Amino acid sequence: MPALVLLGAQWGDEGKGKATDLLGGSVDYVVRYQGGNNAGHTVVVGDQKYALHLLPSGILSPDCVPVIGNGVVVDPAVLLSELRGLEERGVDTSKLLLSGNAHLITPYHTTMDKVSERFLGKRKIGTTGRGIGPTYADKINRVGIRVQDLFDESILAQKVEAALDQKNQILAKLYNRRAIAAEQVVEELLGYADKLRGYVCDTTLVLNDALDEDKVVLFEGGQGTLLDVDHGTYPFVTSSNPTAGGACTGSGVGPTRIGRVIGILKAYTTRVGAGPFPTELFDEDGEKLRAIGGERGVTTGRDRRCGWFDAVIARYATRVNGLTDFFLTKLDVLTGWERIPVCVAYEIDGRRVDELPYSQTDFHHAKPVYEMLPGWSEDLSGAKTFEDLPKNARDYVKALEEMSGAPVSAIGVGPGRDETIQINPFL
Ligand code: GDP
Ligand code: IMO
Ligand code: MG
């Protein structure tokens, strides 16, 4: 069975955690391939709510092996505390596999993230402050620390010293901050070695062997397409590749082994942090979406910026990810509007534009061109089949599907595992 990728089609928080968890019972492996604990994936199982940051959402399914791939950046303190938190709630975490090639977020990366944001002032990105950008920067700069370095004290010390030689200059001279002592960082990191050792392995080998044995492997993206460092709204992006190609580089599984790419798409749009957002609402509709949709960040607690559905973005996500399906989430949140605006194109400096402009300047000038779709007043949460939805909700889904370029194969009508309408099976 070829592997599946499940990723965010917008700016994150589309409901990836719920969608992954839904499939968790039927897949053998769930793999995070990029990002780190900047992610916040909420999973609701019965009356239990879980907020996962670093662990793949498959960890909540007893027979599924959760994997943290080489493309992820791992804050060991966060990982251990997340594992402890789940164990205290009776979740078996012993099957976790952690790539020895994943890079570590150290205290100096988190410090650099925070001070550089402060330095940017009103030009800041609005990062989660979790050290993500600086850790990926070190990886690309070839001065990063990897999980496997925890098991060789001398190499670890050399690498930390080399990294800090440079960073301490920056911290002291540019940011007016105290230097960070290498020995202290090494000591802290060594303290994690024994606690993590049992999870660490060659995840690339494990995943390729699993695929050879016809096991089902699901890749769970963090963030979303428009936050991708290559394909997103740069520079207001995260520092990794949540798009489909990232699943390959972030796991060591080749593209020929992936058969399906599912884009998780919210029935409206949200964004956290700075950056352009053409359909953003600043009125009571925006407030209403935020209140009904519970649009508050799982990681930072920040209010999410809210706006109407943007079909230009959905089409773009189909294109850059090669999407085969959409999972449309939070349709239930749109109950209660008489008419629902949907952005079908942009007006940029007097021109109509149907595709996402590659130019940052153009995108900053993009004004949404709206089409009005009729709303509905019925509560959708009990709907089990597509036919259970009121006609206007069905028409809304069909219209979005047509505009977005891939079939809507599942619809979320509530946060719970069973509050899903499956139209085409994913497996
Ligand atoms: P992720 O980062 O993509 O996993 O998404 P988040 O967990 O950050 O945000 C999605 C939120 O929407 C969570 O609170 C989910 O429990 C909730 N959610 C997911 N799907 C649905 C849905 O279909 N309807 C409703 N009402 N809530 C949903
Ligand atoms: P999930 O997986 C929404 C945003 C931050 C900021 C930008 C860069 O829950 O969808 P970073 O800390 O990554 O350097 O911040 O990216 N961001 C997210 N927004 N959902 C997320 O994750 C995000 N992870 C990062 O708000 O604008
Ligand atoms: Mg989230």
Side-chain angles (χ1 to χ4, degrees):
M1 165 114 198
L4 299 92
V5 182
L6 198 153
L7 53 81
Q10 294 152 319
W11 275 286
D13 304 323
E14 299 90 347
K16 299 176 290 294
K18 175 193 153 163
T20 306
D21 170 66
L22 191 69
L23 289 174
S26 338
V27 303
D28 300 300
Y29 293 81
V30 173
V31 188
R32 276 284 306 271
Y33 56 89
Q34 48 67 236
N37 58 309
N38 47 348
H41 297 178
T42 318
V43 180
V44 180
V45 185
D47 60 355
Q48 295 288 309
K49 187 168 167 177
Y50 300 89
L52 301 168
H53 298 283
L54 193 48
L55 291 166
S57 304
I59 199 149
L60 300 175
S61 303
D63 296 324
C64 176
V65 179
V67 180
I68 297 179
N70 57 276
V72 176
V73 286
V74 177
D75 185 325
V78 172
L79 176 59
L80 289 167
S81 111
E82 205 165 311
L83 285 168
R84 209 169 35 242
L86 287 178
E87 278 153 20
E88 279 165 8
R89 294 176 71 178
V91 176
D92 174 19
T93 62
S94 61
K95 288 206 278 294
L96 176 71
L97 301 179
L98 169 62
S99 167
N101 286 352
H103 280 248
L104 289 174
I105 302 178
T106 74
Y108 55 83
H109 294 112
T110 318
T111 302
M112 291 297 284
D113 192 358
K114 289 179 179 150
V115 294
S116 61
E117 278 281 275
R118 215 165 297 147
F119 195 71
L120 281 170
K122 64 179 191 324
R123 286 166 300 175
K124 70 179 182 193
I125 315 272
T127 72
T128 58
R130 300 301 195 262
I132 306 296
T135 306
Y136 278 114
D138 275 5
K139 171 178 174 174
I140 302 303
N141 236 345
R142 294 161 296 189
V143 290
I145 314 292
R146 295 191 293 175
V147 168
Q148 58 179 287
D149 297 328
L150 295 176
F151 311 118
D152 187 325
E153 188 172 345
S154 132
I155 283 193
L156 180 70
Q158 282 174 44
K159 288 187 175 177
V160 170
E161 272 162 30
L164 276 176
D165 269 354
Q166 193 193 41
K167 270 179 199 69
N168 277 335
Q169 300 278 340
I170 299 171
L171 280 172
K173 293 183 181 154
L174 185 61
Y175 297 123
N176 205 18
R177 285 298 198 102
R178 226 176 305 141
I180 295 172
E183 308 77 57
Q184 235 167 22
V185 175
V186 171
E187 194 185 315
E188 180 181 329
L189 291 177
L190 285 174
Y192 301 125
D194 282 340
K195 296 184 182 121
L196 291 178
R197 196 185 302 270
Y199 301 115
V200 180
C201 68
D202 182 349
T203 49
T204 295
L205 187 60
V206 170
L207 291 173
N208 280 283
D209 283 351
L211 286 163
D212 287 344
E213 288 165 22
D214 232 19
K215 295 273 185 351
V216 186
V217 175
L218 174 70
F219 292 99
E220 175 189 12
Q223 294 77 51
T225 299
L226 275 299
L227 286 173
D228 186 283
V229 68
D230 283 274
H231 302 291
T233 47
Y234 191 89
F236 301 102
V237 292
T238 192
S239 299
S240 66
N241 290 114
T243 49
C248 296
T249 47
S251 72
V253 167
T256 49
R257 311 206 79 161
I258 293 172
R260 210 143 176 194
V261 185
I262 304 161
I264 314 301
L265 187 67
K266 213 180 267 194
Y268 50 97
T269 314
T270 62
R271 169 162 210 173
V272 193
F277 178 1
T279 62
E280 182 168 15
L281 292 165
F282 300 95
D283 58 8
E284 58 202 44
D285 281 331
E287 283 300 327
K288 199 169 146 188
L289 284 174
R290 190 172 301 119
I292 301 174
E295 297 298 351
R296 179 177 279 264
V298 182
T299 299
T300 57
R302 289 179 287 180
D303 273 354
R304 293 175 181 154
R305 300 157 65 191
C306 295
W308 299 121
F309 184 82
D310 185 334
V312 183
I313 278 171
R315 270 201 297 283
Y316 179 72
T318 304
R319 168 160 43 109
V320 298
N321 294 300
L323 296 182
T324 55
D325 305 79
F326 278 117
F327 188 143
L328 187 69
T329 60
K330 306 192 95 162
L331 187 64
D332 53 301
V333 173
L334 292 179
T335 289
W337 268 275
E338 207 169 308
R339 293 186 322 151
I340 308 171
V342 167
C343 169
V344 294
Y346 301 138
E347 193 199 296
I348 302 176
D349 302 330
R351 286 172 301 127
R352 181 184 161 115
V353 174
D354 291 300
E355 297 298 335
L356 197 86
Y358 73 86
S359 143
Q360 185 186 354
T361 312
D362 282 353
F363 195 55
H364 276 276
H365 292 180
K367 295 201 178 66
V369 175
Y370 284 119
E371 202 171 280
M372 292 295 182
L373 301 182
W376 58 89
S377 55
E378 295 88 339
D379 173 20
L380 307 187
S381 57
K384 298 283 175 230
T385 67
F386 189 60
E387 289 65 39
D388 291 343
L389 294 174
K391 179 170 184 311
N392 287 354
R394 292 200 305 266
D395 288 349
Y396 184 82
V397 174
K398 284 286 159 207
L400 262 47
E401 181 174 75
E402 227 159 82
M403 294 169 192
S404 306
V408 171
S409 294
I411 302 170
V413 290
R417 245 184 206 174
D418 51 353
E419 290 173 301
T420 305
I421 297 172
Q422 194 77 43
I423 301 170
N424 308 309
F426 289 128
L427 291 165

